[in-house]
């Protein structure tokens, strides 16, 4: 998502720079309107377009990835330096950027509804008449003037001569559907409320609308009279509280200057052809650049994918929820105890069925009780539990049961229990971190020690030896088993040499004190992203 937003903003900046530099001063107002509308749409759509044929246009060594976004201040990397990215060891907080985004969308939506409501209220309380296809709304005790779709609002305080002049101007807005342009940008302001360029687009299209209407209206009226109307501010912009008076005078000046300007030479229409190479260049970029999502998919371990059964998927969802929230309440414990009864029974007797039905029908539910209820419903739907599903259920319950590791019932899965590094009660301890008593301090110490170990032992010459240039990302997954040994090391990178080197370094990590859960040693999976920077030589730069 962040990658998409960055591309959209970059495209909009480029489009607006071209507009302000080459097109803004031209009198091709309708062409400029088309340019602003089309480039606003293109900036949103282009990041989604990937044309495989364009990938060959740029030599592979020049295809780049957008830089990752690091949280906090990051030191500048030297040539061939390795950086270990921050490893998340904490559970997610209640706040997220998604929540902030939706709050902004909600506020922007409410503001738009409020604006439309004001227009509807004016329609409701003021008298209306009809002139041809246009609905005229007479604003009581007002000298304002504006249009909305096919409604033209005219203040009753305006003189007949002023009304006639303004009506010609507003009819142009109505016939050319300028309201649709503004509503389009209002919708963009809802979705991209955080992007100031959308507001700039809307401001520029509003100015263009006035130029278009002025150019058409002045054809049927003496120019000096029209100038006088503008200078006397018959449109009552001074009475609109949310417009700054300075801005008002500036817009009137721009309109008069544009009216006096000589029409642009037709040959200047060729400037709009700039859009063609711009769009083609952007398509080459979006087709060649690897977004973060596709890059993540490339670094996933290559292993045979086995589709879990629906019940196993729902059991794993319960386990994930427990890991996220960290503790359980009384009702959630009751559901877990019911799962334990089901795991220990070969079939469901009526008493247990009644307990399950009473549990699933109880409202309201927490996220965890909902997921537990989903497990119950799946078991009832299947009517039985397979050996693999029962094993998965036991791997969950051994962690939630008070005496799980001491219960002979769980003996067959005890050696398979894995607890993620972020939630394990006692993390594995790196040699040298034993003196720290806090689990948080030990987590931090372990992360720092692994980072320093990899920086010290990674063969930094491997980049140049294999012709690699720039930023190289390596994803390593490994486990620290119940004996404290490093096992199941897997690595993915864009070059096999980087994968092999990462595996070699991680396997060389020293033996550690294994992690513990409920005072029993457990296997702890660990994920390590590595960023490897390879500097360009002078020859390569040329």
């Amino acid at each position: 998502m962040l990658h998409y937003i960055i591309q959209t903003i970059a495209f909009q900046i480029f489009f607006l720079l071209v507009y302000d530099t080459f097109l803004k001063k031209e009198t091709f107002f309708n062409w400029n309107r088309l340019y602003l509308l089309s480039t606003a749409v293109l900036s949103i759509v282009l990041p989604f377009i990937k044309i495989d044929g364009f990938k060959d246009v740029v030599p592979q060594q020049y295809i780049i990835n957008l830089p990752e976004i690091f949280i906090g201040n990051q030191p500048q990397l030297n040539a061939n330096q390795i950086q270990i990215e921050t490893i998340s060891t904490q559970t997610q907080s209640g706040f997220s950027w998604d929540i902030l985004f939706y709050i902004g969308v909600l506020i922007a939506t409410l503001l738009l509804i409020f604006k439309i409501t004001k227009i509807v209220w004016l329609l409701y309380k003021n008298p209306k008449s009809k002139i041809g296809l246009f609905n005229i709304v007479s604003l009581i005790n007002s000298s304002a003037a504006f249009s909305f779709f096919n409604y033209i609002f005219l203040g009753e305080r305006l003189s007949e001569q002023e009304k006639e002049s303004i009506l010609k101007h507003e009819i142009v807005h109505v016939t050319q559907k300028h309201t649709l342009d503004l509503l389009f940008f209002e919708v963009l302001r809802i979705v991209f409320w955080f992007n100031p360029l959308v507001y700039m687009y809307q401001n520029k299209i509003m100015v263009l609308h006035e130029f278009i209407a002025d150019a058409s209206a002045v054809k049927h009226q003496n120019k000096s009279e029209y100038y006088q109307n503008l200078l006397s501010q018959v449109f009552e912009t001074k009475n609109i509280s949310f417009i700054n008076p300075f801005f008002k005078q500036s817009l009137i000046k721009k309109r008069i200057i544009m009216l006096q300007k000589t029409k642009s030479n037709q040959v200047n229409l060729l400037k709009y052809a700039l859009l063609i190479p711009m769009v083609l260049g952007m398509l080459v970029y979006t087709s060649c650049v690897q977004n973060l999502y596709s890059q993540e998919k490339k670094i996933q371990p290559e292993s045979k994918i086995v589709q879990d059964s629906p019940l196993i998927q729902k059991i794993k969802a319960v386990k994930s929820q427990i890991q996220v929230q960290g503790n359980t309440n009384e009702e959630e414990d009751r559901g877990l105890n019911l799962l334990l009864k089901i795991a220990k029974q070969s079939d469901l007797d009526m008493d247990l069925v009644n307990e399950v039905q009473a549990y699933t029908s109880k409202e309201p539910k927490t996220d965890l009780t909902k997921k537990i209820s989903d497990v119950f419903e799946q078991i009832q739907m299947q009517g039985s539990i397979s050996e693999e599903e029962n094993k998965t259920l036991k791997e969950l319950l051994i962690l939630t049961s008070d005496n799980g590791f001491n219960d002979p019932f769980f003996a067959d899965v005890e050696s398979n229990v894995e607890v993620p590094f972020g939630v394990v009660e006692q993390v594995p301890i790196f040699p040298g971190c034993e003196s720290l008593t806090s689990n948080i301090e030990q987590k931090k110490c372990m992360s720092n020690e692994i980072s320093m170990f990899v920086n010290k032992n990674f063969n930094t010459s491997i980049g140049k030896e294999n012709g690699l240039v720039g930023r190289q990302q390596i994803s390593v997954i490994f486990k620290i088993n119940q004996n404290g040994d490093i096992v199941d090391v897997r690595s993915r990178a864009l070059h096999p040499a980087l994968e092999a080197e990462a595996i070699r370094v991680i396997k060389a990590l020293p033996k550690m004190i294994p992690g513990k859960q409920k005072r029993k040693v457990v296997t702890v999976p660990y994920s390590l992203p590595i960023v490897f920077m390879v500097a360009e030589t002078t020859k390569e730069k040329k």
Side-chain angles (χ1 to χ4, degrees), residues 96-124:
S96 71
W97 291 109
D98 288 344
I99 294 174
L100 180 61
F101 170 77
Y102 288 117
I103 289 174
V105 168
L106 177 62
I107 293 173
T109 304
L110 292 175
L111 286 174
L112 177 59
I113 293 172
F114 175 73
K115 294 175 187 177
I116 295 175
T117 303
K118 287 179 68 176
I119 300 294
V120 173
W121 175 247
L122 288 174
L123 284 171
Y124 174 75

Side-chain angles (χ1 to χ4, degrees), residues 290-353:
Q290 293 175 333
N291 60 43
L292 298 180
Y293 174 73
S294 63
Q295 189 174 13
E296 269 184 16
K297 288 198 297 184
K298 286 186 177 182
I299 63 176
Q300 291 301 315
E302 285 182 348
S303 58
K304 187 177 180 180
I305 298 175
V306 179
Q307 183 66 39
D308 290 331
S309 71
L311 180 54
I312 290 178
Q313 292 176 22
K314 291 177 180 178
I315 293 170
K316 288 182 177 180
V318 172
K319 185 176 182 180
S320 298
Q321 185 64 41
I322 292 173
Q323 290 171 350
V324 168
Q325 67 185 50
N327 50 39
T328 54
N329 61 32
E330 183 179 348
E331 188 64 21
E332 292 164 348
D333 288 337
R334 178 169 163 254
L336 293 170
N337 288 331
L338 280 175
L339 284 176
L340 183 57
K341 288 183 180 180
I342 291 174
K344 290 185 174 183
Q345 287 187 200
S346 56
D347 56 0
L348 298 179
D349 58 30
M350 284 306 299
D351 290 339
L352 188 51
V353 169

